[in-house]
Amino acid sequence: MTIDVYVMEASSPCRAVLLLCKELKLDINVKTMGKGDLKSQDYLKINPRQTVPAICDSGYCLNESRSIMRYLVTKYAKKDTLYPKDPKIRGKVDSMLDFDACSLFATIRQYVSPVFEGKGVNKQFERQLWLNFEYLENVFSDNKFVCGDNMTIADLSIGAGTLVVQLTTYDMTQFPNVRKYMEALASLPYWHEINAPFYKMRDNIKSKAAN
């Protein structure tokens, strides 16, 4: 059965879900949404919160990217490395997903949001952004991925969100472990395909800023 996946393709949470769908080799029907589509009566039945991503799987509809990822990997993964059944390891994955949602991506979004209006970054969030990346830098001093040597759904979420910093001139050279981690994710065979809409948006924004 094909899963309907509702997205705005450049969106970080949407890209995280699409990355997972590729990793799991799921049969999906991608429905690209515009802002007006989110308020349609049909979509309100799927997600009354009028946000993306959302999925419908045989009549079961779910929103919020990290909840979608937990659901998909629990139902469809053939191995449990992406979201381990061991409660201690799964606890770490959930902890990193929460760190991403509540601190890392939340800060990135606040830091970058003025850029979409043709303005500079919100420097009020620069210190918190540094603290978040410094935390990850220390995590990667011992681990290849955020929860150890195996990639998990937390990596797909964190990786998709961290790309957004490329909309700015933020200096990532101060975090060599984070850069190495992002390079490892970029080697995934589907990484550039799924992130292509973001790269196109990034290049358009930077081109406008240069003119």
Side-chain angles (χ1 to χ4, degrees):
M1 182 68 70
T2 302
I3 304 169
D4 289 331
V5 184
Y6 298 83
V7 300
M8 291 179 175
E9 292 180 318
S11 154
S12 300
C14 294
R15 288 185 285 108
V17 169
L18 293 173
L19 287 167
L20 177 61
C21 289
K22 281 289 188 181
E23 176 68 22
L24 296 175
K25 296 180 172 62
L26 298 180
D27 184 12
I28 64 173
N29 179 25
V30 177
K31 295 181 176 289
T32 302
M33 308 292 284
K35 288 185 178 180
D37 299 325
L38 302 181
K39 298 181 180 180
S40 70
Q41 289 303 308
D42 288 342
Y43 191 66
L44 286 172
K45 295 174 183 177
I46 294 166
N47 182 6
R49 295 190 60 242
Q50 304 176 36
T51 59
V52 285
I55 64 165
C56 281
D57 182 13
S58 301
Y60 174 71
C61 298
L62 185 65
N63 58 72
E64 295 297 334
S65 64
R66 295 162 190 84
S67 295
I68 291 170
M69 295 174 80
R70 289 181 177 106
Y71 166 79
L72 291 176
V73 78
T74 299
K75 184 172 181 180
Y76 292 107
K78 296 178 180 178
K79 300 185 295 182
D80 78 338
T81 52
L82 285 167
Y83 194 43
K85 294 178 181 177
D86 183 301
K88 292 182 179 179
I89 303 176
R90 178 168 289 197
K92 289 183 179 180
V93 176
D94 285 332
S95 176
M96 293 307 292
L97 285 168
D98 290 342
F99 161 72
D100 182 38
C102 300
S103 190
L104 178 60
F105 186 62
T107 303
I108 291 173
R109 184 164 51 188
Q110 294 283 358
Y111 179 71
V112 172
S113 60
V115 174
F116 294 101
E117 301 173 359
K119 303 176 183 178
V121 297
N122 188 338
K123 292 190 176 183
Q124 177 183 347
F125 293 91
E126 199 161 72
R127 173 62 177 170
Q128 185 58 48
L129 187 62
W130 185 90
L131 290 171
N132 286 331
F133 282 136
E134 180 68 9
Y135 168 65
L136 285 179
E137 184 72 8
N138 292 328
V139 167
F140 297 135
S141 65
D142 297 319
N143 299 327
K144 180 178 180 181
F145 295 102
V146 293
C147 295
D149 292 331
N150 295 317
M151 185 180 74
T152 69
I153 57 174
D155 294 291
L156 297 179
S157 186
I158 287 172
T162 298
L163 272 187
V164 178
V165 177
Q166 293 184 9
L167 295 174
T168 76
T169 58
Y170 189 79
D171 181 15
M172 291 298 293
T173 61
Q174 58 190 318
F175 307 112
N177 292 338
V178 176
R179 292 182 69 192
K180 183 178 179 181
Y181 165 74
M182 292 299 293
E183 289 169 2
L185 291 178
S187 70
L188 293 170
Y190 44 80
W191 182 263
H192 291 282
E193 174 191 350
I194 297 301
N195 289 305
F198 167 78
Y199 294 135
K200 182 178 180 180
M201 178 184 71
R202 175 201 64 190
D203 294 344
N204 287 339
I205 288 174
K206 289 199 168 186
S207 176
K208 289 179 182 179
N211 294 330

